[in-house]
C-alpha cells in the first residue's frame, strides 16, 4: 500500500506470539520492502529501516521495532533486498551491504573462501555490522538487486553480477563460492541484455532480452 | 594359492573371512587359540584384533567399510527415515535418495557426498535461523542424518588417514549440533573410526613419549591466600555433616579426598598425551579471547590436537596478534561426546542430597592453559567443581552482596558482574572493595562446593583441567 506495510504470519520480534492476521507497521511513504526468513527491511524516503536479524545497526541484538539504519541517513534509497543472513540496498547508484559474510555474500573478503596461503594478507570480514559500500563494477549504475539465502545478484546496465555461496546459483559454471562480484559471462556471450533478477533461496532467475 | 579362511568378524548371518594367503597370514599362527568375543559397545565380533594391527594398510582399510556396514541396518527397507511434517517433503526426498545411494552399488562417491552435503547445507540453514532454543529438534535430526550419510560415503572406498579424520569431524558435527538418531549411531561410528586411527598411529607413539617427558609442567609461584579469607577445607565429610553444615546453609567449602578414587587420578592419569590418545582427533568448541565479556571474544571448533598445539603448548604462532590469544575448552559436555573420558570420572556421592536424577546432572569439562579467566558470575544451580589437573585461583562472593558487584543490566549478561575482580575500577565501582569474599587455590584432587547463585571468579594458574557438576 501507499503508506503502510502489512505483515502477516509468524512475527517473532514484533510480539512474542504468532500473528496470523495482518499487523500494520506504521511506515508512511514506503517505497520498497524486502523480507526474508529472518528479517524485514524497508526502504523509505531518505532512510532504511530494519529489524529482527541482520540489521546494520552495529550490533548483534534483535530489535523489536523498526529502527533507522543511521549510517545511511539522508540518502535516498531506491531499493532494498534481504537474504537469509544479509541485507543490501541501492542508493545513488551505489550498493550498500551488511550482515553475515561467511559465504562471501557481501562481496567483501571472506576467510572461509580463501586458501591457507592467502590467510595472512588481508583483513577478512565475517560480520559487517554497519552498511559498507561495495564496488560491483567500475562506473556502472546498479538497477536491480536481489538476495538469496547466502548469495547476491545485481543487475547493472545490461549485465548481471553474482557473488556469494555457490551451488550453481551464481551461474559462473564453477562450483566455488565467491567473495567478489563477478559478471555472469553467459549473457555477454549470448548477446543478451539483462533487465531484471530475482533470487530464490538457492537459485537465481533472470529476465533478459536479445540485444 | 590357499586362503586362510579364518573368521575375522561375525554379526548375525554376516561373516567376514580372512582372505590373506595362508602362508603370509598371521591368523594361522594363533588359529588354535582363536576366540569369538562377545560384542562390545559397537556390536562387532572381532576375532583377531591384536593381529589386525600387523595387517597391511590396504587390507585393514577394506575391512573398515565392513565394520561400518555391519552396524547399519542390513537393508534399505529397515533403515528408518521418520520425520514430523516440520521437515519439508523435498528434504525427505533428498534423504530417501541418500539412503538409496547408501544401499546401492552404482553410485559414485562424489554423488553420495553431494547428496549428503545438500542435506547438511539445507538443515544447517535451519539450525542457524532464529534462536537455538527454538530450532526444531527434527531439523537437528536431519542434520545428523546428513552427517551419517556423509561419513559413510567418505569411508566407502579405502579411505586415507586424512579422510578418516574428515569422517570423524563430520560425525562430531552431528554429535555437537544434531540430535541423536538410530540409537546414537554417530557415536558408534566415531568409535570404529577412532580405532582405525589408533591402529595407524601405533608406530608414532614411542617417539612422542620422549617428547612428552620434556614438557613437564613447572609449578607456578602461588600468591599467599590470607587465612581469614580462605575457603574452609574438610576431608571426606559424611553426607549428613555436609548437608547440615554446608548445603542447607549454602556455605562454600573445599572437599578433600573425595575424588581420590577417580581413574583420572589413578589408572588413567589425565595428561596431555593421554587426552591426545583418547580424544585427539575429536572436534570440540573452544572459546577464544581473554574473557567472555570482551568484544573480541569468540567461539570456534577445533580438534583436541589443534587446541592443544595452538593454545596449550603454544606451538603454533598466531601471526595476526602480537600477544598470544587465550583459548579455553570451556563449559562443554565433553563426557557425553567422548564416553572413554566419562569412565575416568564419577558423579560425587553428595549429589544424591539433591532432587535430580543422575541423568539430569550437567557435567562440563574445563580445559585450558595458564591464564584462562571466567569473569565473576553466578549460576542457577549447585556446583561441585572438581580439579583434576593443575591449580586455579578462585574467589567467591555471597549472593547477599550482589548490589556491590554491579551485575550487567542486559538480559544476556545479567548473571555476570561488570567488575574486573583482580583490578577493579574503583571510580566506576566504588562499593566493590567493600564486598566481603572468600578465596582459595584449588589444587588437583580438591572439589569446591559453590552454593547456588554464589558469585565466583576463576583464573587458572597453570595448565588446568576441571570438571563441574551442576545439580539441584
Amino acid at each position: 500500500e501507499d503508506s503502510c506495510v502489512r505483515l502477516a504470519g509468524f512475527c517473532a520480534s514484533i510480539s512474542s506470539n504468532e500473528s496470523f492476521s495482518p499487523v500494520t507497521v506504521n511506515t508512511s511513504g514506503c517505497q520498497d520492502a524486502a523480507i526474508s526468513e529472518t528479517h524485514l527491511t524497508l526502504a523509505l524516503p531518505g532512510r532504511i529501516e530494519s529489524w529482527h536479524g541482520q540489521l546494520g545497526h552495529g550490533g548483534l541484538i534483535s530489535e523489536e521495532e523498526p529502527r533507522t539504519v543511521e549510517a545511511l541517513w539522508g540518502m535516498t534509497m531506491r531499493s532494498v533486498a534481504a537474504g537469509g543472513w544479509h541485507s543490501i540496498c541501492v542508493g545513488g547508484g551505489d550498493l550498500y551491504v551488511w550482515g553475515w559474510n561467511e559465504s562471501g555474500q557481501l562481496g567483501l573478503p571472506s576467510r572461509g573462501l580463501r586458501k591457507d596461503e592467502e590467510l595472512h594478507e588481508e583483513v577478512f570480514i565475517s560480520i559487517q555490522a554497519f552498511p559498507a559500500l561495495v564496488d560491483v563494477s567500475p562506473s556502472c549504475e546498479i538497477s536491480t538487486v536481489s538476495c538469496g539465502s547466502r548469495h547476491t545478484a545485481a543487475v547493472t546496465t545490461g549485465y548481471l553480477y553474482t557473488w556469494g555461496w555457490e551451488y550453481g546459483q551464481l551461474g559462473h559454471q564453477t562450483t566455488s563460492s565467491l567473495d567478489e562480484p563477478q559478471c555472469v559471462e553467459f549473457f555477454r556471450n549470448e548477446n543478451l541484455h539483462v533487465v531484471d533478477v530475482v533470487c530464490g533461496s538457492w537459485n537465481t532467475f533472470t529476465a533478459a532480452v536479445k540485444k | 594359492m590357499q586362503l586362510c579362511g579364518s573368521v575375522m568378524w561375525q554379526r548375525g548371518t554376516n561373516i567376514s573371512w580372512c582372505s590373506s594367503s595362508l602362508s603370509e597370514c598371521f591368523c594361522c599362527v594363533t588359529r588354535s587359540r582363536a576366540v569369538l568375543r562377545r560384542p562390545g559397545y559397537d556390536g562387532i565380533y572381532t576375532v583377531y584384533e591384536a593381529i589386525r594391527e600387523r595387517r597391511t594398510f590396504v587390507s585393514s582399510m577394506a575391512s573398515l567399510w565392513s565394520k561400518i556396514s555391519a552396524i547399519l541396518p542390513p537393508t534399505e527397507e529397515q533403515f528408518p527415515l521418520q520425520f514430523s511434517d516440520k521437515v519439508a517433503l523435498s528434504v525427505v526426498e533428498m534423504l530417501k535418495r541418500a539412503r538409496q545411494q547408501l544401499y546401492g552399488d552404482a553410485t559414485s562417491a562424489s554423488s553420495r557426498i553431494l547428496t549428503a552435503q545438500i542435506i547438511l547445507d539445507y538443515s544447517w540453514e535451519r539450525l542457524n535461523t532464529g534462536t537455538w532454543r527454538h530450532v526444531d529438534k527434527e531439523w537437528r535430526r536431519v542434520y545428523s542424518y546428513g552427517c551419517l550419510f556423509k561419513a559413510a560415503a567418505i569411508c566407502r572406498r579405502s579411505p586415507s588417514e586424512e579422510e578418516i579424520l574428515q569422517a570423524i569431524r563430520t560425525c562430531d558435527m552431528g554429535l555437537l549440533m544434531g540430535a541423536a538418531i538410530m540409537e546414537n549411531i554417530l557415536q558408534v561410528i566415531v568409535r570404529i573410526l577412532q580405532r582405525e586411527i589408533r591402529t595407524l598411529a601405533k608406530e608414532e607413539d614411542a617417539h612422542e613419549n620422549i617428547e612428552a617427558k620434556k614438557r613437564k609442567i613447572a609449578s607456578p609461584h602461588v600468591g599467599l591466600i590470607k587465612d581469614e579469607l580462605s575457603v574452609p577445607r574438610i576431608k571426606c565429610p559424611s553426607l549428613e555433616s555436609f548437608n547440615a553444615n554446608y548445603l542447607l546453609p549454602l556455605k562454600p567449602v573445599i572437599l578433600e579426598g573425595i575424588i581420590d578414587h577417580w581413574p583420572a587420578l589413578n589408572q588413567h592419569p589425565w595428561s596431555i598425551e593421554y587426552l591426545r590418545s583418547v580424544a585427539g582427533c575429536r572436534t570440540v568448541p573452544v572459546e577464544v579471547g581473554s574473557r567472555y565479556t570482551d568484544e573480541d571474544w569468540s567461539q570456534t571448533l577445533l580438534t583436541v590436537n589443534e587446541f592443544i598445539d595452538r593454545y596449550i603448548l603454544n606451538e603454533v604462532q598466531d601471526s595476526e596478534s602480537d600477544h598470544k590469544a587465550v583459548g579455553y575448552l570451556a563449559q562443554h559436555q565433553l563426557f557425553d561426546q567422548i564416553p572413554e573420558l566419562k569412565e575416568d570420572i564419577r558423579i560425587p556421592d553428595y549429589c544424591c542430597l539433591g532432587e535430580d536424577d543422575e541423568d539430569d546432572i550437567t557435567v562440563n569439562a574445563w580445559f585450558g592453559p595458564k591464564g584462562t579467566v571466567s569473569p565473576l558470575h553466578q549460576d542457577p544451580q549447585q556446583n561441585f567443581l572438581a580439579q583434576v589437573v593443575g591449580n586455579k585461583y578462585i574467589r567467591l562472593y555471597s549472593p547477599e552482596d550482589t548490589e556491590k558487584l554491579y551485575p550487567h543490566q542486559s538480559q544476556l549478561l545479567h548473571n555476570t558482574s561488570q567488575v574486573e575482580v583482580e583490578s577493579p575500577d574503583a571510580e566506576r565501582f566504588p562499593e566493590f572493595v567493600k564486598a566481603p569474599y572468600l578465596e582459595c587455590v584449588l589444587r588437583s584432587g580438591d572439589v569446591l562446593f559453590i552454593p547456588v547463585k554464589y558469585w565466583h571468579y576463576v583464573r587458572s594458574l597453570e595448565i588446568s583441567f576441571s570438571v563441574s557438576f551442576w545439580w539441584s
Side-chain angles (χ1 to χ4, degrees):
Chain A
E1 289 192 6
D2 270 346
S3 55
C4 304
V5 171
R6 292 197 185 276
L7 306 166
F10 184 49
C11 291
S13 67
I14 292 174
S15 68
S16 43
N17 306 311
E18 295 186 9
S19 169
F20 290 115
S21 53
V23 169
T24 305
V25 178
N26 199 5
T27 47
S28 50
C30 178
Q31 294 199 339
D32 194 8
I35 192 159
S36 78
E37 221 168 314
T38 55
H39 60 297
L40 169 67
T41 314
L42 307 173
L44 299 145
R47 63 192 203 277
I48 291 269
E49 300 211 339
S50 64
W51 72 103
H52 188 40
Q54 285 50 248
L55 306 183
H57 299 306
L60 297 173
I61 306 167
S62 292
E63 299 275 345
E64 296 225 326
E65 296 274 325
R67 187 178 144 196
T68 307
V69 180
E70 284 172 14
L72 302 173
W73 182 273
M75 291 189 261
T76 304
M77 292 296 162
R78 249 189 329 102
S79 64
V80 69
W85 289 267
H86 68 299
S87 310
I88 58 177
C89 65
V90 182
D94 289 325
L95 191 71
Y96 296 88
V97 299
W98 64 96
W100 298 84
N101 191 41
E102 33 68 52
S103 297
Q105 58 265 57
L106 300 186
L108 303 172
S110 176
R111 185 189 295 264
L113 270 54
R114 300 303 174 91
K115 301 198 204 327
D116 283 325
E117 312 91 58
E118 301 169 24
L119 278 181
H120 302 294
E121 294 171 16
E122 293 184 55
V123 173
F124 292 101
I125 296 173
S126 51
I127 300 173
Q128 180 65 33
F130 290 101
L133 181 65
V134 169
D135 252 332
V136 174
S137 86
S139 67
C140 257
E141 273 220 7
I142 315 276
S143 62
T144 325
V145 287
S146 184
C147 294
S149 167
R150 296 186 250 171
H151 74 290
T152 313
V155 177
T156 60
T157 49
Y159 297 112
L160 177 70
Y161 286 79
T162 59
W163 62 96
W165 191 48
E166 171 73 304
Y167 244 127
Q169 60 267 48
L170 300 186
H172 298 300
Q173 295 181 309
T174 63
T175 49
S176 36
S177 301
L178 292 172
D179 59 4
E180 275 182 283
Q182 188 161 316
C183 185
V184 181
E185 295 299 330
F186 174 83
F187 296 101
R188 203 203 297 263
N189 297 342
E190 299 284 319
N191 240 339
L192 290 166
H193 182 97
V194 180
V195 293
D196 201 1
V197 71
V198 161
C199 294
S201 271
W202 288 11
N203 44 39
T204 311
F205 299 87
T206 323
V209 293
K210 273 276 189 210
K211 278 187 189 151
Chain B
M1 179 181 65
Q2 205 181 354
L3 295 181
C4 168
S6 303
V7 172
M8 293 304 297
W9 59 264
Q10 177 183 1
R11 188 175 191 245
T13 52
N14 292 321
I15 306 178
S16 172
W17 290 273
C18 171
S19 54
S20 298
S21 123
L22 194 55
S23 56
E24 293 172 323
C25 172
F26 285 104
C27 293
C28 60
V29 174
T30 56
R31 204 184 317 177
S32 56
R33 301 197 297 267
V35 170
L36 216 74
R37 280 188 237 153
R38 290 206 54 77
Y41 177 75
D42 51 20
I44 301 281
Y45 290 26
T46 57
V47 179
Y48 300 108
E49 217 165 78
I51 313 161
R52 198 184 296 274
E53 291 163 23
R54 300 160 76 182
R55 298 217 168 274
T56 62
F57 184 90
V58 170
S59 60
S60 65
M61 285 307 108
S63 65
L64 173 63
W65 177 243
S66 319
K67 291 176 204 164
I68 291 179
S69 60
I71 54 134
L72 292 169
T75 64
E76 189 179 333
E77 288 71 36
Q78 292 168 272
F79 189 105
L81 279 178
Q82 303 288 355
F83 300 95
S84 76
D85 49 19
K86 279 263 156 59
V87 179
L89 281 176
S90 53
V91 177
V92 179
E93 277 312 304
M94 217 64 223
L95 288 155
K96 287 179 179 167
R97 186 188 298 184
R99 175 177 64 183
Q100 190 181 32
Q101 289 176 337
L102 177 63
Y103 286 91
D105 271 320
T107 332
S108 68
S110 55
S111 284
R112 288 197 180 97
I113 290 181
L114 179 62
T115 311
Q117 195 61 49
I118 292 168
I119 294 167
L120 285 171
D121 285 333
Y122 196 87
S123 52
W124 180 254
E125 293 197 337
R126 305 278 81 73
L127 261 51
N128 279 279
T129 299
T131 49
W132 180 251
R133 254 199 339 264
H134 296 121
V135 172
D136 200 295
K137 188 178 169 192
E138 289 296 272
W139 283 114
R140 294 174 59 194
R141 288 180 65 234
V142 172
Y143 185 76
S144 289
Y145 273 103
C147 294
L148 170 62
F149 289 127
K150 182 168 178 181
I154 292 170
C155 296
R156 189 88 171 214
R157 308 233 181 280
S158 304
S160 65
E161 183 176 349
E162 185 51 51
E163 286 169 327
I164 299 179
L165 290 173
Q166 188 194 5
I168 291 174
R169 268 198 306 278
T170 304
C171 289
D172 268 332
M173 288 307 293
L175 290 168
L176 291 171
M177 311 294 288
I181 53 167
M182 296 167 68
E183 290 165 38
N184 213 3
I185 196 171
L186 290 176
Q187 192 70 267
V188 179
I189 293 178
V190 168
R191 188 174 261 253
I192 295 171
L193 296 176
Q194 273 194 282
R195 212 175 272 163
E196 288 296 318
I197 293 290
R198 272 186 211 124
T199 311
L200 298 171
K202 276 276 153 64
E203 291 97 43
E204 298 158 31
D205 248 7
H207 157 76
E208 266 232 353
N209 274 329
I210 301 159
E211 292 303 313
K213 285 194 174 70
K214 292 181 191 162
R215 285 181 205 132
K216 198 157 163 47
I217 300 158
S219 286
H221 295 283
V222 178
L224 290 170
I225 301 283
K226 308 174 194 74
D227 269 341
E228 63 273 19
L229 295 176
S230 63
V231 180
R233 287 173 172 271
I234 183 166
K235 193 165 167 69
C236 297
S238 66
L239 287 177
E240 294 80 14
S241 73
F242 172 75
N243 193 34
N245 299 325
Y246 301 103
L247 179 55
L248 289 175
L250 295 180
K251 279 176 147 29
V253 64
I254 293 176
L255 303 163
E256 295 176 334
I258 69 166
I259 59 170
D260 286 351
H261 59 288
W262 278 16
L265 293 167
N266 294 293
Q267 304 95 303
H268 296 146
W270 282 1
S271 63
I272 288 176
E273 306 74 52
Y274 175 72
L275 292 170
R276 277 199 204 268
S277 72
V278 163
C281 56
R282 305 297 303 274
T283 300
V284 291
V286 171
E287 302 181 354
V288 180
S290 3
R291 54 202 76 202
Y292 67 76
T293 41
D294 280 354
E295 264 194 9
D296 56 1
W297 180 88
S298 67
Q299 288 176 294
T300 186
L301 293 166
L302 298 172
T303 62
V304 170
N305 280 332
E306 286 168 343
F307 171 66
I308 289 173
D309 288 336
R310 202 179 305 186
Y311 294 106
I312 305 280
L313 302 174
N314 291 317
E315 287 190 339
V316 178
Q317 285 304 328
D318 201 348
S319 60
E320 289 182 359
S321 55
D322 295 321
H323 61 276
K324 294 197 186 93
V326 172
Y328 197 7
L329 204 183
Q331 199 172 324
H332 176 53
Q333 293 180 33
L334 189 68
F335 308 99
D336 289 341
Q337 190 189 357
I338 304 176
E340 292 93 319
L341 288 176
K342 191 172 196 168
E343 285 162 31
D344 289 342
I345 63 172
R346 300 282 180 270
I347 309 256
D349 291 334
Y350 304 91
C351 291
C352 75
L353 295 168
E355 301 134 14
D356 275 343
D357 282 332
E358 246 193 44
D359 298 327
D360 295 330
I361 296 175
T362 306
V363 185
N364 276 314
W366 306 79
F367 175 38
K370 171 180 175 182
T372 61
V373 169
S374 295
L376 187 64
H377 69 284
Q378 58 178 187
D379 296 314
Q381 287 187 285
Q382 316 281 7
N383 185 0
F384 281 127
L385 182 62
Q387 192 63 17
V388 183
V389 177
N391 295 342
K392 274 182 162 155
Y393 170 72
I394 301 179
R395 199 187 287 192
L396 301 170
Y397 289 85
S398 164
E400 295 169 353
D401 299 313
T402 298
E403 336 76 55
K404 298 195 181 73
L405 305 179
Y406 303 88
H408 284 264
Q409 296 300 322
S410 74
Q411 227 257 330
L412 201 61
L413 290 174
H414 73 275
N415 70 333
T416 306
S417 161
Q418 297 178 67
V419 187
E420 276 237 16
V421 168
E422 291 187 277
S423 55
D425 185 334
E427 280 183 29
R428 288 177 68 200
F429 313 115
E431 294 292 296
F432 180 73
V433 289
K434 300 182 197 160
Y437 63 86
L438 296 173
E439 60 180 3
C440 65
V441 171
L442 201 66
R443 305 179 302 243
S444 173
D446 289 343
V447 176
L448 173 65
F449 167 58
I450 304 177
V452 58
K453 295 277 193 187
Y454 226 88
W455 294 87
H456 48 289
Y457 165 87
V458 184
R459 176 167 61 86
S460 64
L461 300 171
E462 51 180 341
I463 295 176
S464 157
F465 202 134
S466 320
V467 181
S468 66
F469 299 87
W470 289 344
W471 55 288
S472 298

